[in-house]
Amino acid sequence: MSQGNQKLWNGRFTEATDAFVEAFTASVTFDFELALFDIEGSVALECLVYRCGIIDALLRRTRQWQIQTASDLDHKSYPIEDVHMNIEAALTERIGEQGKALHTGRSRNDQVATDVRMYLRHNIDLILEQIRHLQRGLLGLAEGHCETIMPGFTHLQVAQPVVFGHHLMAWYEMLRRDADRLTDCRRRVNTLPLGAAALAGTSFPIDRALVAELLDFEAVAENSLDAVSDRDFAIEFTSTASLLMMHLSRWSEEMILWASPQFAFIELPDRFCTGSSIMPQKKNPDVPELVRGKSARVFGSLIALLTLMKSQPLAYNKDNQEDKEPLIDTVRTLQDCLRAFGDMIPNIKAQPDNMRAAAERGFATATDLADYLVRKGLAFRDAHHVVGRLVGLAVDRGVDLAALSLVDFETESDRITEDVYSVLTLEGSVAARSHIGGTAPDTVRAAIKRAKHQLG
Ligand code: ARG
């Protein structure tokens, strides 16, 4: 549909825009997500223009209009170009001639940069709350598993025993760094571009610090050219989001493996799984699989935004309109994945017997035996060799180290005595690692307590 006669910028044009070009250049179908922030920004800017005595009465009326409009406007109301024009047209239709003053002292260039920052800041706050919720869920689960022994893995081979709570706290630490990064990123998002106008600033005597205050920005962008063209903040957010998704994908991978009958370490709640249309026995871990898969689109958005900005000359270029879809998609994907995990994690059911059996099968206490020999005076490298031979013997017999006789042990080293059996227990192994960051049950309890305190 041609909107030629509704255009807000066609004074100098002698022919209507080509219909395809109109559709090709429009962003309203996706940038409408910014509508509420656009209105809020408009009100604040006009408020200050008003204070400077440039526009009268508009302020009161836009405020009133803001409240009405928020509830009943959608991108189909005024299907023109972009959200900014859409809202200006809506305002003019509703309050008449004065609406035309809305664009005083600004440009869509500083307007869109402001809207995107407000949108992102709002959503970062929601995401941070979702992360905290997930962290609380993790702590709750970890608390119940400070003594639940499972194998810790390296190379996906049984390495040393750990407690399940310790493993969960590793996930917690990843989220803690993600939350830190997001909080830090929010500071740079929260800088006000408005006042930069098209690129060089405005000739109206505006007080940018006051707009920043009205809109809760922590700082004012210091250079007008940079203010309208900078999208670092969006790239930074998407890279932070990529790290978070990378973590969720690692975590998903573990849940998928653990929920498989081969591991059977955990059971996922039925409501987070789906069945197969052909194989009646299947209970598929679709939610973690999808989260793992969705990390791909977030990484894709990061690359898209980096590539979008690469080589762009100052200042604003229409290329920048392409920032919205990857950014909005990243926000939604993150929120959906965090929502799924926030509900699912506290409801994971551990299978402690299976975890323990797996830890017993993989010679998980071999390092403890080597450490024992070191305490008896052998150099670690020699101890490693002795234990390697003993493991070989146990493999041949198809038994665990603890099932070897004292005579077997003595054949390899006369330093081994009856007390060796106590270091071969899983409980002894985890309890021995009681330094900060270790897997001893009491240490894990202390870590959970610290984390609870940090979360508040
Ligand atoms: N829809 C545009 C965007 O997202 C708004 C800014 C348009 N500015 C311009 N000079 N054409 O970037």
Side-chain angles (χ1 to χ4, degrees), residues 64-80:
Q64 196 185 7
W65 170 79
Q66 177 186 23
I67 295 157
Q68 288 170 4
T69 307
S71 55
D72 65 12
L73 205 63
D74 67 37
H75 74 267
K76 294 189 194 74
S77 314
Y78 300 87
I80 46 174

Side-chain angles (χ1 to χ4, degrees), residues 149-152 158 160-162 265 354-365 400 426:
I149 291 184
M150 67 179 283
V158 171
Q160 292 177 342
V162 295
F265 283 7
N354 297 340
M355 289 179 171
R356 187 178 181 93
E360 276 164 356
R361 272 197 308 272
F363 306 106
T365 55
D400 188 46
L426 297 173

Side-chain angles (χ1 to χ4, degrees), residues 16-287:
T17 317
D18 180 87
F20 166 73
V21 171
E22 203 157 72
F24 184 66
T25 54
S27 55
V28 69
T29 48
F30 52 84
D31 67 13
F32 209 80
E33 188 87 19
L34 308 176
L36 286 183
F37 305 104
D38 195 78
I39 294 170
E40 211 179 317
S42 295
V43 171
L45 185 77
E46 297 324 319
C47 175
L48 112 157
V49 172
Y50 168 72
R51 227 174 88 115
C52 301
I54 298 161
I55 297 175
D56 59 8
L58 181 62
L59 169 64
R60 199 168 24 84
R61 303 196 57 181
T62 42
R63 273 202 188 291
Q64 196 185 7
W65 170 79
Q66 177 186 23
I67 295 157
Q68 288 170 4
T69 307
S71 55
D72 65 12
L73 205 63
D74 67 37
H75 74 267
K76 294 189 194 74
S77 314
Y78 300 87
I80 46 174
E81 207 170 319
D82 59 23
V83 62
H84 323 291
M85 300 230 162
N86 208 295
I87 287 185
E88 189 179 324
L91 178 69
T92 306
E93 187 181 281
R94 289 173 200 206
I95 72 171
E97 282 299 293
Q98 283 172 340
K100 293 184 182 167
L102 182 70
H103 213 49
T104 313
R106 73 175 188 192
S107 148
R108 278 183 295 157
N109 299 352
D110 61 345
Q111 195 182 348
V112 72
T114 304
D115 291 1
V116 175
R117 285 172 184 269
M118 288 172 74
Y119 161 83
L120 196 53
R121 160 183 97 175
H122 170 74
N123 282 291
I124 286 177
D125 291 343
L126 297 180
I127 290 166
L128 280 169
E129 190 41 54
Q130 285 186 298
I131 294 179
R132 277 192 288 274
H133 174 69
L134 179 52
Q135 284 177 310
R136 279 186 211 106
L138 261 182
L139 292 182
L141 187 64
E143 247 174 350
H145 292 289
C146 293
E147 317 231 348
T148 306
I149 291 184
M150 67 179 283
F153 297 90
T154 60
H155 314 274
L156 204 57
Q157 312 274 330
V158 171
Q160 292 177 342
V162 295
V163 295
F164 185 41
H166 192 54
H167 196 115
L168 295 172
M169 289 305 286
W171 290 352
Y172 177 90
E173 286 298 312
M174 296 179 199
L175 287 179
R176 191 152 72 96
R177 292 193 297 277
D178 291 323
D180 266 6
R181 269 186 288 267
L182 268 179
T183 307
D184 197 46
C185 164
R186 190 193 192 281
R187 275 196 307 117
R188 277 175 293 277
V189 169
N190 206 18
T191 299
L192 178 79
L194 219 52
L199 75 163
T202 171
S203 58
F204 292 102
I206 59 168
D207 178 349
R208 295 185 67 212
L210 181 63
V211 194
E213 202 183 309
L214 288 173
L215 291 176
D216 276 337
F217 279 94
E218 289 162 60
V220 172
E222 297 276 346
N223 179 291
S224 64
L225 297 169
D226 182 49
V228 290
S229 62
D230 166 33
R231 295 293 183 274
D232 292 5
F233 69 93
I235 298 176
E236 195 179 338
F237 168 76
T238 317
S239 101
T240 300
S242 295
L243 281 170
L244 173 53
M245 287 304 297
M246 177 273 286
H247 287 151
L248 295 188
S249 81
R250 293 178 66 184
W251 188 343
S252 296
E253 174 74 6
E254 293 190 322
M255 282 194 284
I256 294 161
L257 286 172
W258 292 351
S260 72
Q262 289 75 12
F263 275 80
F265 283 7
I266 59 168
E267 252 184 56
L268 295 173
D270 280 359
R271 64 179 186 283
F272 290 99
C273 297
T274 59
S276 155
S277 57
I278 175 168
M279 298 168 282
Q281 84 283 12
K282 293 300 287 289
K283 175 176 164 186
N284 295 328
D286 283 32
V287 170

Side-chain angles (χ1 to χ4, degrees), residues 333-394:
T333 304
L334 228 58
Q335 289 174 347
D336 286 351
C337 294
L338 287 167
R339 179 182 172 164
F341 269 43
D343 286 353
M344 187 172 62
I345 295 303
N347 294 300
I348 286 178
K349 237 175 97 213
Q351 308 286 295
D353 293 347
N354 297 340
M355 289 179 171
R356 187 178 181 93
E360 276 164 356
R361 272 197 308 272
F363 306 106
T365 55
T367 314
D368 295 275
L369 180 54
D371 290 352
Y372 166 91
L373 282 166
V374 169
R375 283 195 295 276
K376 298 270 178 158
L378 212 58
F380 185 80
R381 195 48 58 212
D382 295 334
H384 187 287
H385 187 75
V386 168
V387 178
R389 291 181 59 86
L390 286 164
V391 168
L393 183 65

